[in-house]
Amino acid sequence: MDLADPGNFLDDATPWRMFDELRRTAPVHWNPESDGGSGFWSLTRHADVVAADRDQERFTSEKFVNLEEVDERQAAIRRSLLETDGPRHAALRRVLQRAFTPRAVAGYATFLRGLTARTLDRALARGTFDFVAEIAADFPINVLARMLDVPDGDTGRLIDWGNRIIANTDPDYADVLLHSEESERYRDLPFRSPASLEVFEYGRELAAKRRGGAGTDLVSRLVNQTPIDGVPLSDRDFDNYFLLLVVAGNETTRHAITHAMRALIEHPEQAARLRDEPELMPVAVEEFLRWASPVYHFRRTATRDTEIGGTAIREGDKVVLWFASANRDEEVFADPYRFDVTRAPNDHIAFGKGAHFCLGSALARLEMRIMFEELLPRLADVRLAGGIRRVRSNFVNGIKEMPVTVALA
């Protein structure tokens, strides 16, 4: 059960079988790394994942949040909001927090419905199409483009950059460098991906045009606001913040939408219930998120000798929080492999639980709710039209191709 091997995450059964076995027999499990890494502890129970995620004193993100080995210099260069704790994290978060409150994102509802309608008009008219490319990838990236105030014609580039950065262990993408000698040339870049340089350059061009202006888009906020701690964003801070927005603002929502659509295809009675009772949609969205678990894990590092779940952990050990496993924990979710759009309560941790709770959670929920409120009434029938291809990654729970055939209502 090697959770460090992305090849173990290419089918629908193996990851969940591993998580189930670990929760039952070794919920705090030492996983060696065959590529020379130091190894890591895997937390697979809901209670342990939540406890570690909330405890920044014992488990810090500042040493890095991915499994990749980085030294102190690399960590400093690549540090983003994800790899910052304490007051500085709070200050960086506040720069954009108001743009992502439930009240603020509600202002996008009319735009989102119009965008959804256009996306669905174009895709559904084809009858048979790739749901990922035509709907799930197209929709959230256009929302992000509006928030960043970038030209509509640049959305394809944003999608490509996200693919290459976050799915860099997948051979379908160009930057498969993580375990190659060439990766050393890019060792100081996020995920050692050359695409990061392209994102940095693009963001810097936008920043130069908006610095000193009165814009309210996300880029303008980043370059024209000083964090509440009085420490301005450095050029490196801006680079890493902008890259995080490009990746996190697109990848996770599109995979959540795709997994939700697949679940509704495989559980038509649940889709029928939502069509008959559309008021259930906010509750259903929480089940979509639990079911999808679009981010498998984030990593922390022990700040001192400690213990969790009765297991001793040494200072400096990597500790990996498997959110996906926690979202199938039998101690928290009755019959966790039952997809139920009425499930309540639903204490999933798709967005995390601690200080790093997803900044864009309200927007993701709104996007998913509007997508399925608009999509389901249009469909008389929808079924898979071919094989599903998964992203080769143990970080993002992604589907890169899902052909469907639809019949309109």
Side-chain angles (χ1 to χ4, degrees):
M1 293 189 292
D2 185 6
L3 295 173
D5 181 3
N8 282 330
F9 293 76
L10 278 171
D11 63 68
D12 294 323
T14 302
W16 308 110
R17 176 185 60 77
M18 293 192 296
F19 293 146
D20 290 348
E21 180 68 16
L22 289 174
R23 284 196 310 275
R24 183 168 56 251
T25 63
V28 183
H29 168 69
W30 179 255
N31 197 122
E33 294 176 79
S34 59
D35 64 352
S38 60
F40 56 89
W41 293 103
S42 281
L43 307 186
T44 52
R45 289 189 305 203
H46 188 281
D48 293 337
V49 171
V50 170
D53 199 26
R54 287 176 168 165
D55 192 344
Q56 290 188 349
E57 291 189 5
R58 288 193 301 160
F59 302 103
T60 181
S61 71
E62 296 204 350
K63 300 292 185 180
F64 227 55
V65 298
N66 303 120
L67 288 179
E68 180 187 353
E69 296 280 350
V70 296
D71 57 32
E72 294 290 340
R73 184 184 65 84
Q74 289 172 290
I77 291 172
R78 294 161 58 173
R79 181 163 292 130
S80 71
L81 187 66
L82 293 179
E83 290 90 12
T84 308
D85 288 335
R88 184 57 176 170
H89 174 266
L92 291 173
R93 190 180 179 93
R94 283 281 295 274
V95 174
L96 295 186
Q97 194 161 23
R98 289 183 180 179
F100 287 102
T101 64
R103 181 176 181 179
V105 301
Y108 288 97
T110 299
F111 163 74
L112 285 169
R113 289 204 184 273
L115 172 61
T116 305
R118 292 192 297 274
T119 299
L120 296 179
D121 287 346
R122 183 175 61 250
L124 299 181
R126 300 186 178 200
T128 298
F129 57 92
D130 177 14
F131 185 87
V132 178
E134 300 299 328
I135 293 180
D138 183 76
F139 176 66
I141 200 65
N142 277 285
V143 179
L144 178 66
R146 182 181 177 98
M147 297 185 77
L148 294 172
D149 191 21
V150 303
D152 292 342
D154 287 350
T155 57
R157 298 166 69 189
L158 297 176
I159 292 172
D160 177 63
W161 286 328
N163 286 342
R164 291 162 57 195
I165 292 167
I166 208 166
N168 73 325
T169 56
D170 191 299
D172 277 357
Y173 300 110
D175 294 346
V176 186
L177 302 171
L178 197 58
H179 303 299
S180 71
E181 292 182 6
E182 188 181 0
S183 71
E184 291 306 304
R185 294 172 51 196
Y186 304 102
R187 64 195 304 265
D188 292 339
L189 295 175
F191 293 92
R192 299 188 178 183
S193 172
S196 300
L197 285 176
E198 298 172 39
V199 175
F200 290 164
E201 291 170 3
Y202 184 78
R204 291 164 189 166
E205 291 175 6
L206 297 178
K209 294 175 182 177
R210 303 193 188 157
R211 188 169 281 111
T216 59
D217 60 273
L218 300 185
V219 174
S220 295
R221 291 172 188 257
L222 286 177
V223 297
N224 295 320
Q225 291 186 23
T226 298
I228 58 173
D229 62 359
V231 181
L233 266 70
S234 67
D235 291 343
R236 184 178 295 160
D237 289 335
F238 173 83
D239 285 346
N240 291 332
Y241 213 142
F242 182 77
L243 183 140
L244 180 63
L245 289 171
V246 168
V247 173
N250 167 41
E251 288 283 332
T252 52
T253 305
R254 78 154 142 158
H255 293 312
I257 289 172
T258 304
H259 280 290
M261 186 71 256
R262 182 184 180 186
L264 291 169
I265 291 171
E266 295 175 346
H267 301 83
E269 77 287 352
Q270 299 293 303
R273 179 125 191 217
L274 288 177
R275 276 191 288 266
D276 293 341
E277 302 176 66
E279 67 275 10
L280 288 174
M281 193 61 74
V283 175
V285 165
E286 301 308 310
E287 182 71 343
F288 295 165
L289 290 162
R290 182 191 76 89
W291 192 260
S293 295
V295 175
Y296 279 122
H297 74 266
F298 274 118
R299 163 200 156 187
R300 300 290 185 262
T301 303
T303 60
R304 59 177 182 264
D305 289 349
T306 186
E307 66 86 23
I308 195 162
T311 299
I313 293 173
R314 295 176 301 176
E315 179 181 352
D317 282 353
K318 289 189 288 188
V319 180
V320 178
L321 286 54
W322 290 97
F323 298 128
S325 176
N327 281 339
R328 297 293 194 278
D329 191 335
E330 303 85 348
E331 296 299 315
V332 177
F333 305 101
D335 195 4
Y337 288 96
R338 174 173 51 88
F339 177 68
D340 180 4
V341 297
T342 68
R343 184 183 294 274
N346 193 335
D347 191 25
H348 70 78
I349 52 175
F351 294 127
K353 281 290 187 181
H356 287 271
F357 184 82
C358 176
L359 185 64
S361 60
L363 178 61
R365 285 181 164 116
L366 182 65
E367 289 177 346
M368 294 181 73
R369 177 172 64 81
I370 289 177
M371 169 57 69
F372 288 100
E373 284 176 347
E374 296 293 322
L375 175 58
L376 291 181
R378 294 184 180 221
L379 299 177
D381 185 50
V382 55
R383 60 191 64 191
L384 296 177
I388 289 173
R389 299 177 62 224
R390 301 182 63 88
V391 176
R392 185 184 185 277
S393 173
N394 62 357
F395 179 64
V396 60
N397 183 15
I399 294 175
K400 58 187 174 186
E401 185 176 2
M402 189 173 78
V404 298
T405 296
V406 301
L408 301 184

